Amino acid sequence: MMAGRGFSNDELRLYELLQQFLALSDDETVAGRIIVQGPDGTIVGDATLAAVDVEAATDALYRMNVQRAEALNVADEAIAAVGDEAEAFLRDGGAL
């Protein structure tokens, strides 16, 4: 990022994401590297990650994705239940 200019909210969020990776552990062994780029390809920064960092980040993202999928499934089930009720209502001639 270039000094002397303001940053967009998206750029700041990308920088914060990078900071979260950097804060994972003090382990200095290198199992991988993450390079964070902005939408125009400019490099926000990079972080080297130890194996324990890769595992922690992967596990956290996995849990988040599972929670989102479960929330979507609950919403889908609720929508399906409303649809079933509407079909029954119409089958009964729309009578309350």
Side-chain angles (χ1 to χ4, degrees):
M1 291 187 181
M2 297 181 64
R5 72 171 180 91
F7 300 112
S8 70
N9 286 339
D10 290 340
E11 289 171 319
L12 291 173
R13 295 302 289 169
L14 288 171
Y15 184 73
E16 178 59 27
L17 174 65
L18 177 64
Q19 293 306 307
Q20 293 306 313
F21 278 110
L22 290 168
L24 284 171
S25 78
D26 293 332
D27 189 338
E28 294 183 12
T29 60
V30 178
R33 177 179 301 274
I34 296 232
I35 299 172
V36 179
Q37 291 181 287
D40 63 356
T42 58
I43 295 176
V44 174
D46 69 310
T48 57
L49 303 172
V52 66
D53 301 334
V54 172
E55 184 177 345
T58 302
D59 289 349
L61 288 169
Y62 176 78
R63 282 190 303 275
M64 182 185 72
N65 286 325
V66 166
Q67 287 173 346
R68 284 183 176 176
E70 288 172 352
L72 289 175
N73 287 341
V74 167
D76 288 346
E77 290 170 7
I79 290 169
V82 169
D84 291 344
E85 289 176 19
E87 286 179 12
F89 177 76
L90 293 173
R91 260 194 320 271
D92 293 339
L96 294 177

